[in-house]
Amino acid sequence: MKQPLFSEYELYLFNEGRNFASYQTLGAHLVEYDGVWGVRFAVWAPHATAVKVVGEFNDWQGDNSPMSRQGESGVWALFIPGLIVGEIYKYAIDTAQGCLLKADPFAFFAEQRPKSASVVAELGSYCWQDADWRSQKRGQLLDKPVNIYEVHLGSWRLGPDGGMLSYRELARILPAYAADMGYTHLELMPLAEHPFDGSWGYQATGYYAVTSRYGSPQEFMEFVDACHARGLGVILDWVPGHFCNDGHGLKAFDGTPLFESDRPLRAENRQWGTTNFDFSRSEVWSFLISNALFWLDVYHIDGLRVDAVANLLYLDYAREPGDWEPNRYGGRENIEAIDFLRKLHEAVFARFPNALMIAEESTSWPLVTAPTFTGGLGFNYKWNMGWMNDMLLYMETDPLQRRWRHDKLTFSLMYAFSENFVLPLSHDEVVHGKKSLLDKMPGDYWQKFANLRAFYAYMIGHPGKKLLFMGGEFGQFIEWNEAQSLDWHLLSYDMHQKLHNYVSALNHYYLQQPCFWEKDAGWEGFEWINCEDSLHSIVSLLRRDSHNNVRLMIVNFTPVERLAYRIGVPLRGKYCEEFNSDSQEYGGSGLNNTGIIRSEPVPWDNWEQSVVITVPPLAAVVLAPMG
């Protein structure tokens, strides 16, 4: 007697928005059915009049491959015996408007662009080597160093033939490079299948299909495994807010609005030329929450950076008055999307308590990183876009004029502990005419590098986890272009190589010094020494670890050295210079504080003791107590 293709309970949970392993039910799966091996297909298309599986195996004619409706679930299913991994297929969906050819929303793999068919894939055959990594009790990393290297795999480095490197080729070089540079995590720009390279992956058609641009699912597993072997966590950019409009994708999937709202003002996303998900639909919850868990489960991803959260939270995001519909209470908040985010995090942390869930959220929405049971959204980190915008505006200002914008340097401490923050210098800041980080810096050639070194040091001293986009570590001079490699040849130039050495040294110093991360989430780990010296554009701060050890950082944002600069110190005794961004080995002028620096009983900066030091031009100095 034939067994049903699914349990009714699986489909019931999917319709209820509570099947968070729906990728095990829907899609194309190699299975044994009534003693015969083949592929079981399943797709959600509730408004279709008929659905067929078409592919090379039936000459793209589906008359012999009709799917059957599974009760009232809206799911159609078919088992085709004899099919194997690698078969290419689509769904032919009959609608009132005609037949649509659609890729499988749950496909695990797809053809390379510009082709768009789905590919039968089997994901359980890879032999993972990261059991030790997965078993570590890493917690939420609030009291650990987090230093993220953001990467676009297609343009980090190209092969000798000018083509993109594969996951396997990248696995041999990128994890080792990032670990040697002192990074703790790689953040990968989206790898869900997408048709257009220029979208950078943020407009997807295949949410469960790792892009075929760089190789197979198993090769991507090798890449993640290689990262874990080098002690690197892997964070993946994830886009649950909107999807690509291409015809083979999710839009009007069964001839009607299905994954999107049937209300055009809710569905249409004019800002990006995409379509928003409908979070009032329970099946969309099953689809997206399952997808988040899929990346964490199947590919051993360590966390997700959720893109464009403001687009989920606000119905009027990037819209003009009259171009949006209020919620049922007359407000601008997307109530259903807020509920979705909370359920997402409850589901993720129930299964993966050590996962990183990072919000790219650009507004002042409260409690983004607070637990859901306290009314928060449930993320454990949020990008600090305010710090990024203020700091870039400050750093782009002529140093002689910075005194008038001193508040841009210090204002972030007014809210630094309101959320668990990541300080991002991301890809968005080095494209579309914004210039590269190095080219944003004012001054002559030497001053550009000095400014950038001081900026990076201040970033390390400021509370919050750290993120830098690729190329920033060696001073990419031109804007990032996804169609070409980073300019690695710049490392043959002295100042670029010295900047590269500096970033590596600064990163490793950060990793080795608990004062800069052990108490990163509150005032007990940070204290201003002097944040009011706008005349000299100098700030001095103190960082403290859990054993009450301290480090003092002084940053001079002008090209004028201060040869007898006094700062208050918390302890009487001896100090030494532990780090100096102006060292000649980093391309600086070599103005150092050598030998022992003794405190004096001269009250300064609200402390009874103080020291007199040399503060180099456009540079950061770190002092450490001795004994």
Side-chain angles (χ1 to χ4, degrees):
M1 180 183 219
K2 286 192 173 183
Q3 300 298 314
L5 291 175
F6 308 103
S7 72
E8 291 184 8
Y9 188 59
E10 286 177 279
L11 300 181
Y12 167 77
L13 288 179
F14 176 74
N15 292 138
E16 288 288 303
R18 295 187 289 123
N19 185 342
F20 301 148
S22 56
Y23 55 90
Q24 297 175 359
T25 302
L26 283 87
H29 295 267
L30 188 67
V31 298
E32 185 180 9
Y33 183 60
D34 275 4
V36 178
W37 282 93
V39 175
R40 183 193 70 200
F41 297 92
V43 64
W44 179 52
H47 304 110
T49 57
V51 184
K52 304 167 186 175
V53 182
V54 297
E56 292 183 344
F57 53 87
N58 61 11
D59 295 324
W60 299 95
Q61 303 298 316
D63 292 343
N64 295 324
S65 306
M67 306 181 79
S68 60
R69 187 186 290 269
Q70 305 295 294
E72 300 301 316
S73 66
V75 173
W76 300 74
L78 174 67
F79 174 76
I80 302 181
L83 293 191
I84 60 174
V85 169
E87 297 284 0
I88 298 171
Y89 70 99
K90 280 188 177 181
Y91 295 119
I93 302 175
D94 290 341
T95 74
Q97 294 77 33
C99 183
L100 302 174
L101 276 180
K102 291 285 189 176
D104 188 347
F106 282 88
F108 296 148
F109 200 46
E111 290 184 296
Q112 283 199 44
R113 75 230 183 288
K115 296 181 180 179
S116 59
S118 301
V119 180
V120 175
E122 200 282 311
L123 302 182
S125 60
Y126 180 74
C127 184
W128 287 93
Q129 304 296 316
D130 65 347
D132 289 345
W133 172 267
R134 299 269 284 181
S135 66
Q136 292 175 21
K137 302 295 184 183
R138 293 185 296 280
Q140 298 295 335
L141 300 178
L142 286 176
D143 61 349
K144 300 292 190 299
V146 175
N147 192 18
I148 303 167
Y149 186 52
E150 188 192 20
V151 175
H152 177 261
L153 290 185
S155 59
W156 179 71
R157 183 172 292 172
L158 299 181
D161 61 351
M164 295 176 179
L165 297 178
S166 69
Y167 296 120
R168 180 169 291 160
E169 290 169 324
L170 287 161
R172 298 189 187 113
I173 53 175
L174 178 51
Y177 172 81
D180 290 345
M181 284 294 295
Y183 293 102
T184 62
H185 293 75
L186 288 180
E187 181 176 319
L188 307 178
M189 292 169 69
L191 292 177
E193 194 58 81
H194 52 284
F196 178 49
D197 290 357
S199 77
W200 311 334
Y202 291 97
Q203 298 182 12
T205 50
Y207 272 71
Y208 289 82
V210 65
T211 180
S212 56
R213 284 168 173 77
Y214 316 123
S216 69
Q218 286 71 24
E219 288 177 313
F220 181 56
M221 292 175 185
E222 287 183 38
F223 176 84
V224 176
D225 226 355
C227 290
H228 290 167
R230 290 303 305 253
L232 289 169
V234 180
I235 301 164
L236 184 64
D237 278 11
W238 186 59
V239 191
H242 61 114
F243 55 84
C244 184
N245 283 344
D246 284 45
H248 66 281
L250 299 179
K251 188 171 183 179
F253 186 78
D254 63 357
T256 68
L258 189 62
F259 291 89
E260 70 272 27
S261 173
D262 59 1
R263 299 155 71 176
L265 288 182
R266 290 283 184 94
E268 186 179 8
N269 192 319
R270 295 179 185 172
Q271 180 183 17
W272 296 308
T274 56
T275 298
N276 293 324
F277 279 102
D278 180 7
F279 292 102
S280 69
R281 185 126 205 184
S282 54
E283 290 90 350
V284 169
W285 284 37
S286 288
F287 176 78
L288 287 172
I289 295 177
S290 292
N291 187 243
L293 291 168
F294 168 81
W295 291 105
L296 299 170
D297 174 23
V298 173
Y299 285 108
H300 293 198
I301 297 297
D302 299 282
L304 300 173
R305 176 270 202 180
V306 182
D307 182 67
V309 172
N311 182 58
L312 281 77
L313 296 176
Y314 298 99
L315 295 169
D316 63 344
Y317 181 72
R319 294 174 184 263
E320 298 296 326
D323 197 27
W324 60 280
E325 296 177 353
N327 62 36
R328 58 182 177 270
Y329 302 112
R332 59 197 285 252
E333 300 81 12
N334 189 334
I335 296 169
E336 295 84 6
I338 295 164
D339 290 342
F340 161 79
L341 287 172
R342 289 172 175 152
K343 178 55 69 175
L344 165 72
H345 292 119
E346 290 168 4
V348 165
F349 293 127
R351 186 165 178 196
F352 298 99
N354 295 323
L356 290 170
M357 296 297 292
I358 304 171
E360 187 222 6
E361 204 287 300
S362 56
T363 75
S364 58
W365 187 279
L367 303 177
V368 172
T369 59
T372 59
F373 63 81
T374 67
L377 294 182
F379 290 95
N380 46 23
Y381 287 99
K382 172 183 172 175
W383 274 18
N384 193 335
M385 310 291 279
W387 173 87
M388 177 272 297
N389 283 313
D390 282 352
M391 283 304 304
L392 290 179
L393 180 60
Y394 180 82
M395 295 305 302
E396 289 179 90
T397 301
D398 186 301
L400 298 180
Q401 303 298 320
R402 283 175 178 167
R403 67 172 68 180
W404 310 116
R405 287 185 166 174
H406 198 73
D407 62 312
K408 300 298 180 184
L409 188 61
T410 60
F411 179 71
S412 57
L413 266 298
M414 297 293 290
Y415 60 87
F417 309 116
S418 62
E419 304 278 5
N420 300 324
F421 281 120
V422 174
L423 308 181
L425 295 174
S426 75
H427 66 276
D428 276 330
E429 312 320 316
V430 294
V431 291
H432 302 321
K434 297 177 184 176
K435 301 182 180 180
S436 70
L437 289 179
L438 182 62
D439 202 22
K440 290 178 193 287
M441 301 297 109
D444 59 25
Y445 184 76
W446 185 91
Q447 289 178 346
K448 282 181 176 291
F449 283 91
N451 268 298
L452 195 56
R453 291 194 304 270
F455 183 18
Y456 288 164
Y458 183 63
M459 180 181 181
I460 294 298
H462 192 288
K465 308 310 182 186
K466 325 299 176 187
L467 179 145
L468 181 65
F469 183 57
M470 63 182 197
E473 75 274 22
F474 62 80
Q476 177 87 5
F477 238 126
I478 63 172
E479 287 186 339
W480 170 59
N481 182 342
E482 83 283 344
Q484 64 187 50
S485 171
L486 295 179
D487 290 334
W488 293 101
H489 67 274
L490 291 175
L491 289 174
S492 63
Y493 294 89
D494 186 58
M495 288 296 284
H496 291 275
Q497 182 61 64
K498 287 182 174 179
L499 177 64
H500 193 250
N501 296 342
Y502 169 75
V503 171
S504 177
L506 182 65
N507 287 346
H508 285 284
Y509 177 68
Y510 165 73
L511 297 182
Q512 295 159 8
Q513 185 42 257
C515 287
F516 291 103
W517 41 261
E518 206 166 55
K519 287 184 170 290
D520 211 24
W523 283 107
E524 62 271 19
F526 175 91
E527 188 173 348
W528 284 119
I529 299 173
N530 187 341
C531 64
E532 298 178 350
D533 190 1
S534 60
L535 179 63
H536 300 105
S537 295
I538 292 179
V539 291
S540 49
L541 58 93
L542 177 150
R543 298 302 307 269
R544 182 179 285 109
D545 69 15
S546 59
H547 299 287
N548 215 31
N549 298 308
V550 298
R551 293 296 183 271
L552 286 64
M553 178 179 283
I554 306 93
V555 192
N556 179 5
F557 288 101
T558 72
V560 181
E561 66 268 21
R562 304 299 171 182
L563 297 178
Y565 192 81
R566 185 177 292 274
I567 66 165
V569 294
L571 303 169
R572 177 187 175 191
K574 303 173 183 177
Y575 291 80
C576 67
E577 182 181 276
E578 194 170 67
F579 193 88
N580 188 327
S581 71
D582 193 51
S583 295
Q584 288 183 333
E585 62 182 306
Y586 306 140
S589 64
L591 205 57
N592 298 79
N593 293 277
T594 58
I596 296 172
I597 305 167
R598 298 180 187 275
S599 70
E600 302 172 355
V602 178
W604 209 265
D605 297 326
N606 297 315
W607 274 316
E608 295 181 358
Q609 296 281 317
S610 59
V611 297
V612 174
I613 62 170
T614 294
V615 186
L618 296 173
V621 171
V622 179
L623 304 182
M626 298 176 64

